[in-house]
Amino acid sequence: MNDSVRRIDPSTDPASAAIMLGCNPNQIGPCARCQGLTVRYGSNAQLICPACRAKDQAPT
């Protein structure tokens, strides 16, 4: 797994998470898989966070 991609803890302030994810704070929501924060709402919405997507794409 890419070590630079880390789960954003749900207790993280939405404004801080938005900076890390490059979106607006009102677009932040929980990952469907791990409950970490992701861009859950809006035109670039992702149900799965970057950390979970990186795990799915990692070579086995």
Side-chain angles (χ1 to χ4, degrees), residues 2-31:
N2 184 349
D3 289 334
S4 66
V5 180
R6 298 185 188 264
R7 177 180 178 268
I8 300 174
D9 190 89
S11 64
T12 303
D13 176 59
S16 298
I19 291 169
M20 289 185 262
L21 294 167
C23 66
N24 292 318
N26 62 348
Q27 293 177 292
I28 299 296
C31 170

